[in-house]
Amino acid sequence: MSTVSAYAATSATDPLSPTTITRRDPGPHDVAFDIHFAGICHSDIHTVRAEWGTPQYPLVPGHEIAGVVTAVGSEVTKFKVGDRVGVGCFVDSCRECTNCQAGLEQYCTGGGMIGTYAGVGRDGQPTQGGYSGAIVVDENYVLSIPDEIPLDAAAPLLCAGVTTYSPLRHWNVGPGKRIAVVGLGGLGHMAVKLGAAMGAEVTVLSQSLKKMEDGLRLGAEHYYATSDRATFKDLRGKFDVILNTVSASLDLGAYLNLLTLDGTLVELGMPEHALTVPPSPLVRMRRSVTGSLIGGIAETQEMLNFCAEHGVRPEIEVIEPDYINTAYERVLASDVRYRFVIDTESLRQP
């Protein structure tokens, strides 16, 4: 066992504070690496504040993790000391169910994927995340970060990147496809960049036009305010795919009417309250409402390679660990463009 510095939540209401945690010694198939950067995801805040159930405290969040390998187990074949690596939203799964065997570990039915934090590992110990100096993970759940992607920019790709890449790939977004992205935040800005890189015609649907300049710079061809009711008239029947990246309760009927025949609305956000799906917009144009959850290991690696090849990077603001609590408040106020990334150098120091 080794001791590393970290920032942890001790309750749903107290601020995160410095602490130390233990990491296991690398087993035969484990990769140990120093964490250089960790992204802040809105899911971290939901979990820390017990909005998705009460986790076990103390809790170290962080599932957008990038760093450099310091040790590997005796039977590791995929990585070596000095490699640039990352870990996303999960660190294990059952490995035996149909979905795991198909490389869709995020949909594991053999007990579910084991979260990078707020989960329970095979050793029976609670998992702790990336707001820390180092981590040890089975090599099968570690990603290789291409040299073209800086480590600070790589971190958010491991959640925000793959969460938007996966549905774009699954619904065959590419040249000739028209997509709409609802919301221009941490997920939304990645959806715009990735959709444009895939060759689609991208439209942003946002509450107002205040981020319009950003949206067009990031790759959108069109930008509309959803507070303007004319938007829903002018865009009726226009889109093949709509990615909803916000967690607000939307008028799904209005958005479904923006889809063309056989169009699909993909829910990526997790609203607090149930969404009402009116049947008429579905039946009349054979439309669908569905959802998507992150990506499997193979698809996440594919996404990283795609981003390296196409120059896709998240827009980030790098912070020190002692700024985490302020960053949380800014995330809740939508005051970040578009992802906070923690520089964990001070947590790697003895």
Side-chain angles (χ1 to χ4, degrees):
M1 303 285 283
S2 60
T3 301
V4 300
S5 298
Y7 263 69
T10 55
S11 77
T13 55
D14 291 326
L16 276 73
S17 57
T19 189
T20 58
I21 59 173
T22 58
R23 299 294 194 189
R24 68 177 184 267
D25 293 328
H29 294 282
D30 282 337
V31 173
F33 67 93
D34 281 347
I35 298 172
H36 286 227
F37 296 96
I40 292 179
C41 177
H42 206 144
S43 299
D44 301 348
I45 303 174
H46 286 306
T47 305
V48 161
R49 300 191 174 184
E51 293 169 355
W52 290 346
T54 303
Q56 180 176 340
Y57 298 103
L59 169 66
V60 177
H63 58 206
E64 298 179 338
I65 306 171
V68 177
V69 176
T70 55
V72 297
S74 58
E75 297 183 35
V76 169
T77 59
K78 299 178 181 179
F79 302 98
K80 64 183 185 303
V81 172
D83 282 353
R84 306 163 79 252
V85 295
V87 166
C89 297
F90 56 95
V91 292
D92 211 336
S93 62
C94 83
R95 313 185 189 194
E96 298 176 355
C97 70
T98 300
N99 292 343
C100 283
Q101 290 290 312
L104 298 169
E105 299 94 342
Q106 74 274 36
Y107 301 121
C108 173
T109 58
M113 64 180 181
I114 297 175
T116 303
Y117 63 85
V120 178
R122 288 175 181 259
D123 58 2
Q125 298 301 308
T127 57
Q128 303 286 9
Y131 298 9
S132 57
I135 195 168
V136 180
V137 180
D138 185 286
E139 67 172 324
N140 292 301
Y141 297 83
V142 177
L143 289 306
S144 177
I145 296 175
D147 291 338
E148 295 87 347
I149 305 177
L151 288 179
D152 56 357
L157 296 177
L158 297 164
C159 176
V162 73
T163 296
T164 49
Y165 181 90
S166 185
L168 290 171
R169 273 288 184 244
H170 184 76
W171 278 278
N172 300 311
V173 167
K177 289 292 183 76
R178 296 174 298 178
I179 72 167
V181 176
V182 182
L184 192 68
L187 290 180
H189 94 285
M190 285 307 308
V192 169
K193 286 194 170 198
L194 288 165
M198 291 174 181
E201 179 183 330
V202 181
T203 297
V204 174
L205 302 176
S206 186
Q207 180 68 19
S208 72
L209 299 179
K210 68 179 182 179
K211 295 181 182 178
M212 182 173 181
E213 184 178 344
D214 273 7
L216 299 178
R217 174 178 60 83
L218 297 174
E221 295 185 41
H222 314 283
Y223 201 108
Y224 291 87
T226 55
S227 56
D228 182 353
R229 298 308 300 176
T231 293
F232 293 92
K233 178 180 178 182
D234 296 342
L235 300 181
R236 193 177 182 90
K238 180 178 178 64
F239 303 111
D240 301 293
V241 175
I242 298 175
L243 295 188
N244 179 23
T245 72
V246 302
S247 293
S249 296
L250 301 181
D251 177 358
L252 282 189
Y255 285 86
L256 286 169
N257 281 325
L258 302 184
L259 291 168
T260 187
L261 176 68
D262 290 327
T264 303
L265 188 153
V266 186
E267 186 66 33
L268 301 180
M270 295 283 280
E272 180 180 356
H273 302 292
L275 298 173
T276 299
V277 182
S280 179
L282 300 178
V283 171
R284 291 182 184 280
M285 293 293 282
R286 205 163 57 191
R287 298 168 175 131
S288 301
V289 178
T290 187
S292 182
L293 177 69
I294 54 175
I297 296 299
E299 188 172 51
T300 304
Q301 188 64 59
E302 178 187 303
M303 176 274 306
L304 288 168
N305 296 341
F306 178 91
C307 289
E309 179 181 354
H310 294 272
V312 176
R313 309 285 185 271
E315 307 279 308
I316 62 173
E317 181 177 336
V318 179
I319 63 170
E320 296 298 316
D322 61 8
Y323 193 77
I324 290 171
N325 294 300
T326 302
Y328 273 24
E329 296 307 317
R330 288 181 57 192
V331 169
L332 294 173
S334 299
D335 180 28
V336 55
R337 296 192 179 183
Y338 283 92
R339 204 67 155 186
F340 283 117
V341 174
I342 306 163
D343 181 343
T344 59
E345 180 178 4
S346 64
L347 301 179
R348 299 197 302 275
Q349 297 170 358

